[in-house]
Amino acid sequence: MDRELRRGTLEMVLLRLLEEDDRYGYELITALDERSGGAIVVKDGTLYAVLYRLEASGWVEPYWRTQERGVPRKYYRITEAGREKLERSLDDWFTYVDAVGRIVGTRKGKR
Amino acid sequence: MSAIDGYVGDVLEWIPQCLPARARIEADLRSHLADRVEAGESEAAAVSRMGAPEDVAREFLAQLDLRPATLLRRGAAFLIDVALGLVLLAPVLLLASVAFEGGLDWGTGPPWFTILIVAGVALALSIPVLSVVYFPLLEGLWGQTIGKRAVGICVVKETGERADWAAVIIRRFPFYFDFFWLDALFAPFTKRRQRAFDLVARTLVVRIQARRP
């Protein structure tokens, strides 16, 4: 996938995953990889930079949870502002995808 | 040293010691790498997924809100440092004057006169000594002098990276050659409050802000 396209949508995708459930970094990386069929693979370090940005914007908040193994793990949860941001982003995204789809057609139509 | 320790150390090498976010970045990196290892990966494999240390450090630093320190704070930090220089140098000079009796007439002159002369010489010496040794050494090691630490500001590269030795020495040039005031005149008129030699060294003095835990 094109790097710029991936970068532009990464925040929205992460907010969507966090809307489903609170997750920690490794879970997010794994979910991105598995649910995108390997199309969205980000370097682990990049993920944290994006999470910092989301946090600075007030869209997610981190908290530490201690596991049974005794090692604390940092989870991220979406905030109300994050949900509102996600809703706006999804609206924009589907409007854009629909519009582009009407011009270039679907993958099936292309073939 | 384990692969994780080595990698985390390499990332932190780029991040100024004076930034509170440094501890958080370290904790996040270690926690994440521990999760990968717990999932069954080797330390080396976990580290290889992170990205080059300098790239990761830059990505983290790009997210930080680094705001230029106000001129008032910078001035206050400078005064504290000069005062420290005086306090440290004056007793040394006083002892020296006693040791070399010919220099100052300790026995017949009034004590306040001796103290005044010593204070004057200390002031004259303190700024060059501070410029050559104190400022570059402390800014190179920790990004801040005692004065900067006291008022909560610190020196970083324009990119947010740790200021290296070359940068902290270059930004002191105006002090070495005695055109500090001319250099400082740039600060009020530049967007990020940089002195002329901050611009040359590509350094910034930033306000340290506590982050949420």
Side-chain angles (χ1 to χ4, degrees):
Chain A
M1 184 188 269
D2 177 75
R3 190 178 171 181
E4 287 306 311
L5 180 60
R6 188 181 62 200
R7 199 179 184 88
T9 53
L10 191 54
E11 287 186 3
M12 179 179 72
V13 171
L14 288 174
L15 286 174
R16 182 75 183 89
L17 289 172
L18 290 172
E19 189 195 33
E20 294 172 359
D21 203 359
D22 297 358
R23 296 174 199 265
Y24 56 96
Y26 178 63
E27 273 186 319
L28 285 167
I29 290 269
T30 311
L32 279 174
D33 188 14
E34 287 176 357
R35 291 177 55 179
S36 71
I40 304 178
V41 179
V42 293
K43 286 279 186 189
D44 294 15
T46 303
L47 172 80
Y48 280 88
V50 179
L51 287 171
Y52 276 33
R53 191 160 66 233
L54 294 178
E55 185 190 337
S57 302
W59 297 331
V60 303
E61 55 187 12
Y63 64 97
W64 289 91
R65 189 192 289 173
T66 304
Q67 307 300 302
E68 286 176 9
R69 62 183 170 129
V71 179
R73 184 178 270 159
K74 186 183 273 186
Y75 280 76
Y76 289 86
R77 73 162 74 92
I78 192 167
T79 62
E80 200 49 48
R83 288 179 199 281
E84 288 167 12
K85 167 66 181 171
L86 174 62
E87 201 166 317
R88 288 196 302 275
S89 297
L90 288 172
D91 277 347
D92 289 346
W93 171 255
F94 286 120
T95 301
Y96 184 73
V97 168
D98 288 347
V100 173
R102 282 195 294 274
I103 297 168
V104 301
T106 62
R107 184 186 288 264
K108 197 174 171 184
K110 194 178 92 176
R111 287 174 179 165
Chain B
M1 184 189 285
S2 71
I4 288 179
D5 288 340
Y7 180 80
V8 173
D10 287 346
V11 174
L12 294 180
E13 192 63 28
W14 295 83
I15 297 173
Q17 294 216 2
C18 50
L19 296 183
R22 194 173 193 265
R24 182 193 168 168
I25 291 168
E26 179 175 7
D28 284 343
L29 288 174
R30 288 191 182 281
S31 170
H32 181 79
L33 288 164
D35 284 334
R36 280 217 174 267
V37 170
E38 192 182 84
E41 292 185 19
S42 69
E43 286 199 8
V47 162
S48 72
R49 293 176 185 275
M50 295 299 296
E54 60 269 36
D55 293 340
V56 171
R58 283 184 187 130
E59 293 212 47
F60 275 123
L61 289 168
Q63 310 310 321
L64 302 183
D65 184 17
L66 296 177
R67 294 184 187 176
T70 61
L71 298 180
L72 195 65
R73 275 180 191 274
R74 292 175 68 172
F78 183 70
L79 287 179
I80 291 171
D81 287 325
V82 171
L84 269 174
L86 278 174
V87 168
L88 293 175
L89 274 177
V92 174
L93 289 172
L94 203 57
L95 285 174
S97 71
V98 172
F100 301 99
E101 288 174 5
L104 290 165
D105 190 359
W106 184 250
T108 56
W112 61 265
F113 183 68
T114 305
I115 290 168
L116 199 67
I117 291 176
V118 167
V121 176
L123 182 63
L125 285 178
S126 63
I127 292 181
V129 169
L130 288 170
S131 305
V132 173
V133 182
Y134 174 83
F135 281 109
L137 185 68
L138 269 65
E139 288 177 357
L141 286 174
W142 299 298
Q144 54 188 175
T145 59
I146 294 169
K148 285 189 173 68
R149 188 179 173 84
V151 301
I153 61 178
C154 124
V155 180
V156 300
K157 298 277 278 182
E158 286 176 344
T159 52
E161 290 164 33
R162 180 179 175 172
D164 54 27
W165 291 108
V168 296
I169 290 170
I170 289 171
R171 73 186 298 275
R172 283 295 144 199
F173 272 15
F175 290 73
Y176 307 150
F177 300 108
D178 208 16
F179 58 100
F180 166 69
W181 296 109
L182 185 64
D183 173 64
L185 278 178
F186 279 71
F189 304 104
T190 51
K191 192 178 173 189
R192 293 189 281 182
R193 301 282 178 264
Q194 289 165 289
R195 293 190 279 109
F197 272 73
D198 273 325
L199 293 168
V200 174
R202 294 180 175 273
T203 51
L204 284 178
V205 182
V206 296
R207 173 91 189 269
I208 297 169
Q209 291 165 316
R211 290 187 63 89
R212 284 176 293 172

